[in-house]
Structures are given as C-alpha cells and as structure tokens.
Amino acid sequence: MTPPQQFDRVVDEALLLDVGVTVFDANVPEVFDDQVAQNITPEVRRAEANYMAYFAKNLLQSTGNWGAVRVVPRATHAVDVTLTGTIVHSDGERMIMYAEARDARGTVWFAKTYEALASKYAYGDLVPVGIDPFQAIYRNIADDMLTYRKALPDATVQAIRTTAEMKFAREFSPDAFEDYVVQEGDTGVFAVQRLPAEDDPMLDRVRQVREREYLFIDTLDEYFEDFSARMYPTYQDWRQATYGEAIAYREQREKAKRRAIAGAVGIAAGAAAQMSDTTLTRYGGAVSIIGGAAAVGRGIQAFADAKVHSDVLQELGASAEAEISPHTIELENRTLTLQGTVEDQYEQLRRVLKRIYYEELGLVLPPEDAADADDERPSAEILVDGSPYAD
C-alpha cells in the first residue's frame, strides 16, 4: 500500500509528458491443451488485460507526474510515452507481468518482468477499495517510469513532445510531413529534422485532428471505467477463490514431481542391484524396485490430485467468464457511431479523421484510403446534431 514516488519539484505543464497505456496483451495460448495446462480461461484473461491497463493508468495519473494519461486500444503517435504490458501469469496468488515503456523517439525507457505474490490478507474486508492485491507491480512500474523521466533534460522532453506531434502529422499527411522527422540509422530512434511554421494551416489541421482523437479516447475511458467497476467484485471473488487453489495446485505438482523422481531412482537402483552375484543384494534390489514403483504410483496419484485443483481453477474462471467478458462497445450518437471491438472502432475512427483532414484542406484522399473510407462510411460517421463530419 506504499504510494508511488512523485516529483520532488514543481514541473512546468509544458514539460509534462502525455502517456498512453495500451490494452495489455492477454497472452492466451492458441492451443486449448496449453490453456488448460496453464489454467487460463481465455475470456477471463482478456478481461484482465483491460482491467490491468485501466488500473495502471489510474495509478500513473494519481501521481501527478505526467500530463494526460489515457488507456488506448493500441500504440498511437497521439501520446508522448507508451506503456505496454503482457500478462505472463495471473491467478489469485501470483502475478507476473512484462512491461515496456517507450517514448515517441523510439527510445526504450525500460523493458522488465515484474512479479509479486499476494498476501492472503489482500482479499480481506478491511482492504480499502482501489487497492489491488498486486499493487506493488503497478507501483514499481510507476517508479521506474519516474526514475527515467527525472534523468531527462528539459530539451530532451521537448524533443519527445515535438517528435510525437511530427510523427502524428506524418501519419495523416505523409507527403507534407515526410521529411520533418526521420529514423536515424539502424537504431530505430526518430529525430526531428525541421519544423513547420506555427501558423502552417496543415499543422493547425493536424492539431485539430489530434484533439478529435483525444476526444474519442477520453470517451473510451468511460467504457474502461464502467467495465472495470462492473468487473471488480466478481474478479476479486475469483482471485480470492483461486488463491488457495493456486497454492495447493503448485504444491501438489511439486510433491508429485519429487515422488516420481524418488521412485525412478529407486527402480534404477534396484535394477542395478539385480545384476549382483549375491542373493541378498538381488533381494534388496527387488525391494527397491517395488518401493520405487510404489513411489511412482504415489507420484501419479499426486499428479491426479493436482489435476483436480486445476479443474477447480478452470471452473472458477468459467463461472466468472459470463459476468466479466468484454462486450461490444456501442457509443451510439453521443459522439461517434462505430461498430465492432474497441480496436476496430479505433481503426474506423482514424480512417474517418483522415478523410475529414483531407476534405477540410481540399485535398484528394489517396486511393487506398479512399477505398477504406467508403467501406467504413455507413458505420463510422461523426454525428453531431445529425450532421455528418460536423466540427
């Protein structure tokens, strides 16, 4: 419950970097047998990927160390720093997460694997709402991000923000902004070569497009908030229930392994003794073989017991799945009407914004983008007061 670190000085607002936390990689194996072996219920794990990203975003935002912190369906040039995560392992007892932070230049701040064990008291009634059983992982990520940020000179921070804007502009208008930012050598790092004038009309349009993207992402934030609130009670119950089962399952597997190894050693020793010339030694070898076989049998039974615990974990996950599975987002006509998953809607939005950008400047949309825009037009229109493409 230790809070994350904060800046020890007042930071100018112009030097606060915007952060995008992508929906985490659920890391669900494609093969069903692998899912069973790892006690993964796919829909529960995908729900966790949304929940964990939103929790990480809230913790980062609470520190006051950053500008706007948003959950984004995927990496975008609309933010200065992107935090990505992959769920390596997750149950009520233990969480392992791989996290990577990278700025707009392409510079990796860190790429680390974090691991934490939950206390049995983490699921008690006295734990404050909003405290996660694996809070330490999120806090360590936040602290690592701040540690790197503190070491950056102000000029570098400005360069990161400028690079993000130029990369966003280049994405929407490659012809106009292609040579403003380039990738240097084989390092993968981007650098700004030159800048447009502040009163450049194309740059002004790009900034308007980016604000519209922010509006949509902020609207999605309401979805993630609602989803996390609905998911939390069931998810906590699921993690609390799997806490004991996960420990029992792991201990049972270790016990089974030890017994099986001991049995195999006993059988091997007995077989070697059978080659002896003395009757007593051969008798002892026979006893070793019998004892080893019995140990192997107990090991097999222990594996069977472990399988029971595995089945319980699967059943617990399946019972939660019906309540916490992600649902198709319908934003209706509040701001956008987009169909499909969050990522599908985000892709549709960007196509619509690109079409608006070209129409407002009186430019011809590239053929490949025009074809995509025509495909998306029926289900991806910005509607304000019933008028498509209204500002």
Side-chain angles (χ1 to χ4, degrees):
M1 294 174 62
T2 304
Q5 299 174 14
Q6 293 179 288
F7 267 113
D8 50 9
R9 61 183 176 87
V10 177
V11 180
D12 188 273
E13 187 174 347
L15 297 175
L16 292 176
L17 295 171
D18 294 338
V19 179
V21 182
T22 65
V23 173
F24 286 1
D25 181 355
N27 193 28
V28 177
E30 294 184 3
V31 180
F32 176 74
D33 289 345
D34 293 339
Q35 297 174 12
V36 173
Q38 298 177 40
N39 295 313
I40 294 175
T41 303
E43 290 306 321
V44 173
R45 176 61 72 82
R46 294 188 184 103
E48 287 183 294
N50 286 270
Y51 169 83
M52 291 177 183
Y54 185 73
F55 192 91
K57 169 255 181 187
N58 279 348
L59 190 70
L60 287 172
Q61 188 170 265
S62 70
T63 64
N65 298 329
W66 311 97
V69 185
R70 299 175 169 96
V71 176
V72 293
R74 61 169 179 78
T76 171
H77 298 316
V79 298
D80 305 316
V81 181
T82 301
L83 175 66
T84 58
T86 300
I87 304 173
V88 179
H89 177 88
S90 176
D91 57 37
E93 181 216 12
R94 183 167 57 108
M95 181 189 293
I96 305 175
M97 181 191 301
Y98 172 82
E100 179 180 305
R102 182 189 300 261
D103 64 37
R105 301 170 302 166
T107 301
V108 177
W109 288 17
F110 61 81
K112 295 174 59 176
T113 298
Y114 299 83
E115 182 173 358
L117 292 173
S119 164
K120 64 180 180 180
Y121 303 107
Y123 302 104
D125 295 335
L126 298 179
V127 176
V129 176
I131 298 296
D132 191 87
F134 304 99
Q135 184 102 349
I137 286 182
Y138 301 99
R139 185 187 68 241
N140 289 338
I141 291 174
D143 289 348
D144 286 343
M145 288 185 67
L146 180 61
T147 298
Y148 192 95
R149 167 63 185 85
K150 283 182 175 179
L152 296 177
D154 291 352
T156 302
V157 174
Q158 291 286 10
I160 291 173
R161 302 201 67 179
T162 303
T163 303
E165 184 174 63
M166 289 300 98
K167 288 175 74 174
F168 186 89
R170 189 179 70 169
E171 184 178 11
F172 274 83
S173 185
D175 293 340
F177 296 98
E178 181 66 32
D179 59 347
Y180 282 74
V181 59
V182 297
Q183 198 167 9
E184 296 181 328
D186 299 327
T187 62
V189 175
F190 288 83
V192 175
Q193 298 298 300
R194 62 193 185 97
L195 293 172
E198 271 300 313
D199 58 352
D200 186 311
M202 300 188 77
L203 178 63
D204 182 60
R205 293 297 185 188
V206 164
R207 287 172 174 169
Q208 291 181 32
V209 167
R210 189 160 66 161
E211 287 301 320
R212 286 167 172 158
E213 182 162 334
Y214 289 152
L215 177 63
F216 177 70
I217 294 174
D218 289 340
T219 303
L220 283 184
D221 193 70
E222 298 175 10
Y223 156 74
F224 286 112
E225 180 180 12
D226 177 66
F227 172 77
S228 297
R230 288 187 294 108
M231 170 184 171
Y232 185 78
T234 302
Y235 184 46
Q236 283 297 89
D237 289 344
W238 176 78
R239 290 204 288 192
Q240 183 174 10
T242 61
Y243 180 82
E245 288 297 332
I247 294 174
Y249 177 63
R250 175 171 47 78
E251 291 178 347
Q252 201 68 35
R253 283 186 61 86
E254 292 174 355
K255 184 188 298 182
K257 186 183 296 184
R258 289 195 300 270
R259 286 178 177 175
I261 292 174
V265 170
I267 292 174
Q274 289 294 298
M275 304 302 292
S276 174
D277 294 333
T278 65
T279 301
L280 184 61
T281 303
R282 287 198 299 272
Y283 177 76
V287 172
S288 294
I289 292 175
I290 294 171
V296 170
R298 289 193 297 272
I300 292 173
Q301 181 59 46
F303 274 119
D305 293 341
K307 180 63 168 59
V308 171
H309 291 301
S310 174
D311 290 342
V312 172
L313 290 176
Q314 290 293 317
E315 290 171 5
L316 288 168
S319 65
E321 180 177 327
E323 294 186 52
I324 65 177
S325 297
H327 301 286
T328 298
I329 302 172
E330 296 290 348
L331 296 177
E332 299 177 351
N333 291 332
R334 289 163 51 190
T335 302
L336 297 167
T337 302
L338 302 170
Q339 305 298 323
T341 64
V342 173
E343 188 165 353
D344 290 340
Q345 293 181 46
Y346 190 54
E347 285 298 324
Q348 293 172 25
L349 169 87
R350 294 180 68 82
R351 291 171 186 167
V352 171
L353 291 180
K354 192 167 188 177
R355 185 170 73 239
I356 295 171
Y357 171 81
Y358 274 80
E359 288 177 353
E360 288 180 341
L361 289 172
L363 303 174
V364 178
L365 198 65
E368 62 275 14
D369 292 316
D372 290 337
D374 288 339
D375 292 339
E376 300 296 344
R377 188 179 293 267
S379 61
E381 292 186 345
I382 293 182
L383 298 175
V384 179
D385 298 329
S387 174
Y389 320 129
D391 191 352

